[in-house]
Amino acid sequence: MVFKLSLIMRLLAIFFVVLLTACHSLPSEKTTGDADTNSVLTKPDPHSMANFEDVAIHHINLELKADFDDQELKGHVVIHYKKLKPDVKYMVLDTRDLKIRRVSTTDSNQSLSWRMGEPQAPLGSALRIKLPDNGEAIKIDYHTKPQATGLQWLNPAQTATGEHPFLFSQSQAIHARSWIPLQDTPAVRFTYQAKIEVPEGLRAVMSAENSPELNPEGIYNFNMPQAIPSYLMAIAVGDLAYKKISEHVAIFAEQPFLEPAAYEFAKTEDMIDATKELYGEYQWGDYDLLVLPPSFPFGGMENPRLSFITPTVIAGDRSLDSLIAHELAHSWSGNLVTNARWCDLWLNEGFTSYIEARITEKVHGQERMIMEAALNLQGLQKEMADLPEAEQRLSTCEVELDSEDVFSGVAYDKGRFFLEWMEKQVGRAEFDAFLNQYFDDFAFQSVTSKQFLTYLQQNLISKYPDKLPLNTVKEWIYGPGLPDVLYVPVTDRFESINDDIAAWQNGQLKLSDMDTKNWTTHEWLHFLRALPEPLDQKTMRALDQTFDFTHSQNNEIAHDWLLLSIQNRYQVAYDRLIQYLNDIGRMKLIVPLYEAMMETDDLTELAKRIYEKARPGYHPLAQQAVDPVVKYADDES
Ligand code: BES
Ligand code: ZN
């Protein structure tokens, strides 16, 4: 990873705290009527109300029309299921804010009785359907609602060309249920087909096989032959251009982003080759990238066959393309082998962050990989310092949930450093072979931390009991903090920046004499983060005059500079700050800026004023994240 994840991870942490807290308020009477232990710890997935251990979806068939006037998807889904318990009478599906019109059998078109449970924020409402005595599929006619948490409907002004509306989904972790009634748990996999109708001239794409052809009538058919968990269901509709950039890679983007993205992400094919070489076949056919409008709330999302990517990483120099390495890596860690519950998130994100680093090393060289590792470690240590012990563990499934169990950058970076430690202990060749086998053995399955540990014991620890002492392994997975065995990434390039800063502070070196000509984004970020605090106006001005940070076209560098500008009241940068917060909706980049303003005595009004104007352009998740920060009160809600 390129940048410290602490802030976005804190957001995710808040998100998951809310989820986990909600688990406590689940009704003791399950809508299935089945016996329930009512314990979060023993629930197959505390974030799903579906009875997927009784009856499991294996295929779905979607037929939806994207109605931009009403901001609704309208149509039906046919759900193909298998009864796992022969006497099961009901199927319980996850939904949130869906309008169900009718539920029927598929063969004889007979109505089936159903009941929508009371909404249980934030899990949604359990849809309980009486299953036909004989049958393997049911049809649900439904509409989404404009406030669907998993969809963002953009008006033309929010797009790059400003001419057409745009729609995109973000289903992870539990938002698929806001646009499809289904078993919204990573423990269930299904294949899917879809027919999507969109306004003429627009293109629909999905986490499925995507055709390069634009359909003049606006009808798109999709097939996803590999079974995926619900959080990887994805759709986007917009004025999307298409460009194939290499044998297995194409880019979908609004026209103004197409060429810049093609240049920026030109290494993608090399990244695929590098990952295949390390971990075995890429199992998903082609690998395309969808460049979204700047309000996309994440850096990227690993929707299979079609990663969703923020345009904010288009820096012009490929310096931020580790994001692609990351989303691509999920094709193995996450999409192929999936965390069974969200408290096992590190099995997705920690493994992915490790693989991302391995890809970056192969494609961009060791030095860049180490710089990224060093930035990430700095971020992780800073974040951990503020986290209670319970939140510093990789696996939180085993601990009492009334302690503040959350997910954070811990899952990403501590997870990654854990795998790196194992790699260094047993040697690369051995560890690569182990991971390769792991992906093979668990392909298209979901795993828990416990299962992983058992597998690790059987396949690696048993061979190297001295190099991988079980206690240390357990300390990594279940213990707080970072074990002292951690390998600390050190790079001369950052050391020399530290020296420069010290020499400048001592008056021995002028800013303009620093040899920054060949600095990469990583070095600039390290420089900005290593500056002494606070900085007076004269120094801020000198930094800006020398390096022109206020006008940096690199969104990550601009972000760090704007943060410093808020903290040091450097008013010259405020116009850029306002522009930035109106142009970009990526949570990792915007939330820290609002937080920093709200931490001051004198900039809170500015924060509120900016937000008032920018909020309508933000994704529902970004709004949910920023609302409490700026104490925004939505009069309508
Ligand atoms: N799957 C995540 C995005 C995500 C995480 C969505 C949790 C919803 C809940 C994606 O792979 C990711 O980690 N993105 C990072 C990329 C970074 C670590 C390189 C991001 O968006 O910043
Ligand atoms: Zn990820």
Side-chain angles (χ1 to χ4, degrees):
M1 274 169 287
V2 186
F3 301 102
K4 81 179 160 85
L5 278 159
S6 63
L7 291 153
I8 180 69
M9 286 310 126
R10 203 158 298 145
L11 267 177
L12 291 176
I14 295 165
F15 170 68
F16 279 108
V17 171
V18 174
L19 285 186
L20 291 171
T21 316
C23 296
H24 286 290
S25 56
L26 285 180
S28 54
E29 190 201 347
K30 222 179 171 183
T31 35
T32 53
D34 295 348
D36 179 22
T37 61
N38 195 30
S39 157
V40 170
L41 297 179
T42 54
K43 276 179 188 299
D45 178 356
H47 302 130
S48 170
M49 300 194 255
N51 58 340
F52 58 89
E53 292 189 318
D54 302 343
V55 49
I57 297 178
H58 65 88
H59 181 77
I60 71 173
N61 231 308
L62 269 178
E63 232 180 283
L64 293 172
K65 179 175 171 177
D67 184 332
F68 281 91
D69 293 332
D70 292 350
Q71 302 203 327
E72 290 179 358
L73 292 174
K74 300 175 174 174
H76 68 253
V77 59
V78 173
I79 291 185
H80 298 260
Y81 57 86
K82 273 207 178 70
K83 289 183 177 175
L84 304 177
K85 294 189 181 147
D87 55 350
V88 62
K89 300 275 185 292
Y90 294 91
M91 170 146 58
V92 182
L93 299 177
D94 293 299
T95 75
R96 186 188 302 119
D97 290 333
L98 294 181
K99 286 185 274 190
I100 305 298
R101 299 272 185 230
R102 182 169 185 248
V103 183
S104 54
T105 58
T106 48
D107 40 10
S108 52
N109 191 21
Q110 274 175 357
S111 290
L112 291 167
S113 64
W114 57 275
R115 199 185 76 212
M116 188 64 100
E118 284 302 310
Q120 314 268 333
L123 295 189
S125 307
L127 172 62
R128 189 173 191 257
I129 296 165
K130 173 106 174 59
L131 291 174
D133 291 338
N134 299 305
E136 293 173 341
I138 52 168
K139 180 179 173 200
I140 304 173
D141 287 276
Y142 74 100
H143 290 195
T144 62
K145 288 189 185 163
Q147 71 266 30
T149 54
L151 300 175
Q152 189 180 8
W153 297 86
L154 301 178
N155 57 48
Q158 293 170 276
T159 66
T161 51
E163 284 168 24
H164 298 278
F166 202 105
L167 163 70
F168 65 85
S169 66
Q170 169 53 46
S171 298
Q172 196 182 16
I174 57 164
H175 300 286
R177 66 190 67 178
S178 74
W179 63 284
I180 310 169
L182 40 55
Q183 296 178 325
D184 199 5
T185 167
V188 172
R189 281 175 182 269
F190 49 84
T191 50
Y192 78 85
Q193 283 163 313
K195 181 176 171 196
I196 306 292
E197 193 183 332
V198 303
E200 271 175 34
L202 298 193
R203 183 200 291 272
V205 289
M206 290 192 83
S207 51
E209 283 165 0
N210 284 292
S211 156
E213 306 305 326
L214 197 68
N215 180 287
E217 280 95 47
I219 310 271
Y220 292 86
N221 289 294
F222 298 94
N223 183 33
M224 183 54 175
Q226 288 93 356
I228 58 166
S230 58
Y231 78 92
L232 296 175
M233 288 299 301
I235 185 171
V237 179
D239 181 18
L240 291 168
Y242 169 90
K243 182 175 173 126
K244 192 166 161 72
I245 61 167
S246 62
E247 193 183 346
H248 300 101
V249 184
I251 295 186
F252 291 95
E254 285 188 88
Q255 192 65 46
F257 289 137
L258 195 65
E259 289 306 327
Y263 175 81
E264 203 74 26
F265 307 138
K267 299 266 182 207
T268 308
E269 188 84 31
D270 293 349
M271 291 179 174
I272 299 173
D273 290 342
T275 327
K276 273 160 63 172
E277 211 176 293
L278 286 169
Y279 306 115
E281 222 15 70
Y282 174 78
Q283 308 247 19
W284 307 89
D286 284 338
Y287 179 68
D288 297 337
L289 301 171
L290 170 67
V291 179
L292 289 137
S295 66
F296 185 58
F298 292 102
M301 178 63 213
E302 65 270 27
N303 297 316
R305 288 166 180 255
L306 183 68
S307 285
F308 282 24
I309 302 294
T310 172
T312 61
V313 292
I314 303 179
D317 59 3
R318 299 178 186 157
S319 62
L320 303 178
D321 71 356
S322 295
L323 175 74
I324 308 297
H326 181 96
E327 303 314 336
L328 170 69
H330 273 302
S331 307
W332 286 260
S333 45
N335 300 6
L336 195 60
V337 181
T338 309
N339 51 212
R341 305 188 291 179
W342 293 113
C343 58
D344 292 312
L345 184 73
W346 78 278
L347 295 171
N348 272 15
E349 298 296 352
F351 280 58
T352 295
S353 299
Y354 169 78
I355 297 175
E356 171 200 330
R358 294 294 303 277
I359 299 171
T360 300
E361 181 178 8
K362 271 190 165 226
V363 173
H364 289 297
Q366 195 188 39
E367 198 157 51
R368 172 160 157 185
M369 185 276 276
I370 294 178
M371 287 196 287
E372 293 180 0
L375 287 170
N376 289 339
L377 182 58
Q378 281 167 13
L380 178 62
Q381 283 167 331
K382 217 165 149 196
E383 181 180 9
M384 277 225 189
D386 295 335
L387 287 177
E389 283 199 354
E391 295 171 36
Q392 301 175 10
R393 305 171 205 278
L394 283 180
S395 167
T396 51
C397 302
E398 309 295 327
V399 294
E400 282 295 321
L401 285 167
D402 55 13
S403 63
E404 292 188 273
D405 271 338
V406 289
F407 298 75
S408 67
V410 171
Y412 285 72
D413 294 316
K414 183 176 173 183
R416 170 248 156 105
F417 288 117
F418 169 40
L419 296 198
E420 191 169 48
W421 170 74
M422 290 199 281
E423 174 213 305
K424 292 213 155 74
Q425 291 301 103
V426 303
R428 261 201 176 171
E430 190 72 18
F431 192 65
D432 289 353
F434 164 78
L435 268 192
N436 204 316
Q437 191 62 43
Y438 167 72
F439 290 133
D440 209 37
D441 288 344
F442 289 96
F444 297 102
Q445 293 175 42
S446 302
V447 279
T448 62
S449 295
K450 222 181 196 154
Q451 279 172 302
F452 173 71
L453 181 57
T454 306
Y455 185 85
L456 185 71
Q457 280 180 278
Q458 286 166 353
N459 295 282
L460 208 58
I461 297 179
S462 57
K463 283 196 212 160
Y464 299 98
D466 299 333
K467 291 183 171 162
L468 296 179
L470 185 58
N471 277 344
T472 315
V473 168
K474 284 190 173 165
E475 190 191 338
W476 274 106
I477 300 178
Y478 300 112
L482 284 166
D484 343 315
V485 296
L486 165 91
Y487 287 97
V488 177
V490 180
T491 149
D492 288 348
R493 286 171 61 176
F494 285 0
E495 296 299 317
S496 106
I497 291 174
N498 297 344
D499 294 345
D500 279 3
I501 292 176
W504 167 56
Q505 291 287 290
N506 296 335
Q508 293 159 347
L509 180 68
K510 285 203 283 192
L511 285 175
S512 52
D513 288 339
M514 284 185 187
D515 187 9
T516 60
K517 213 171 45 260
N518 296 320
W519 280 12
T520 65
T521 301
H522 316 90
E523 284 156 302
W524 285 113
L525 289 176
H526 178 75
F527 175 75
L528 288 168
R529 289 170 196 182
L531 289 171
E533 297 168 39
L535 294 163
D536 59 26
Q537 293 303 304
K538 197 167 145 251
T539 313
M540 287 295 286
R541 226 176 8 252
L543 284 163
D544 206 11
Q545 277 164 3
T546 314
F547 302 122
D548 201 18
F549 287 127
T550 297
H551 302 110
S552 171
Q553 286 313 298
N554 182 308
N555 289 304
E556 303 270 359
I557 294 173
H559 168 269
D560 277 32
W561 175 250
L562 292 173
L563 206 53
L564 282 180
S565 300
I566 293 167
Q567 286 157 351
N568 297 293
R569 310 295 193 283
Y570 179 59
Q571 298 190 6
V572 176
Y574 289 1
D575 282 348
R576 175 78 202 274
L577 173 68
I578 295 167
Q579 190 70 44
Y580 189 93
L581 289 170
N582 275 287
D583 287 351
I584 294 176
R586 182 179 171 191
M587 293 192 284
K588 176 185 127 172
L589 299 180
I590 61 168
V591 175
L593 298 175
Y594 284 111
E595 278 175 347
M597 284 189 273
M598 293 305 289
E599 276 164 21
T600 69
D601 293 329
D602 50 329
L603 298 181
T604 55
E605 282 314 308
L606 177 65
K608 285 173 192 260
R609 220 168 42 239
I610 299 176
Y611 187 53
E612 189 77 36
K613 181 151 173 278
R615 188 179 187 274
Y618 290 161
H619 188 278
L621 291 176
Q623 294 181 355
Q624 272 173 38
V626 185
D627 282 357
V629 173
V630 305
K631 303 184 178 59
Y632 177 86
D634 185 353
D635 295 338
E636 284 171 30
S637 63

